Amino acid sequence: MANVEVRRVGRHDFVAENDRGASVRLGRSGAEGAFSPVELLLAAAAGCAVVTAETLVTRRVGEGGLVARARDVRPEGAHELDAIPITLDYDTSALDDEQLAALDQVVRRAVEQLCTVTRTLKKAPPAPLTLPGPVPPGPVPPG
């Protein structure tokens, strides 16, 4: 099981760290030298797809130039994403049409079946929030 802790280190400045000691800075959108939470979500989606596809792709096209990109698709000012399109890019010039179609099929199937992040995003699981202190009775006041 993976665990990540995000600790405040300054005003609008945070560090996320995993159990293995890896860390990444995060902050508000536009913060210099930091990822925003949405950018981390995009990185997770693209990263999961590229990690899942890496062996399948490099075995067929070689080691060079495997890149994954994810985009933030939402209306201006919205506070939820409408989509997270992911693009994998690699050199297919050495493949004929049949090889390219076979690679496309195996990569799509692997990402759809094995990529935990994109599978989770499609499922939209709950993300309960726990706060310190007693739980107030009744509905939560708007905030």
Side-chain angles (χ1 to χ4, degrees):
M1 295 268 198
N3 292 298
V4 173
E5 181 174 284
V6 179
R7 184 172 305 280
R8 183 178 186 261
V9 295
R11 185 168 189 253
H12 308 314
D13 192 15
F14 304 86
V15 173
E17 188 172 297
N18 67 16
D19 294 336
R20 297 177 312 283
S23 63
V24 63
R25 273 190 66 214
L26 65 142
R28 291 186 175 186
S29 183
E32 195 65 34
F35 283 90
S36 73
V38 169
E39 289 167 335
L40 288 174
L41 179 63
L42 298 175
C48 190
V50 76
V51 166
T52 301
E54 177 187 27
T55 301
L56 298 169
V57 171
T58 58
R59 187 181 304 149
R60 290 163 178 85
V61 301
E63 292 290 327
L66 177 58
V67 176
R69 295 177 186 85
R71 282 190 308 118
D72 169 345
V73 176
R74 62 180 152 168
E76 186 69 32
H79 290 283
E80 70 181 29
L81 305 182
D82 289 340
I84 303 174
I86 300 166
T87 302
L88 291 179
D89 192 19
Y90 42 88
D91 181 11
T92 60
S93 61
L95 303 178
D96 63 28
D97 289 346
E98 185 176 310
Q99 293 169 321
L100 184 57
L103 179 57
D104 181 280
Q105 183 179 25
V106 72
V107 167
R108 285 180 191 282
R109 184 172 51 238
V111 171
E112 288 171 4
Q113 292 178 355
L114 303 174
C115 180
T116 303
V117 174
T118 56
R119 288 174 55 90
T120 302
L121 288 170
K122 289 176 185 173
K123 184 179 173 185
L129 176 64
T130 302
L131 302 172
V135 177
V140 176

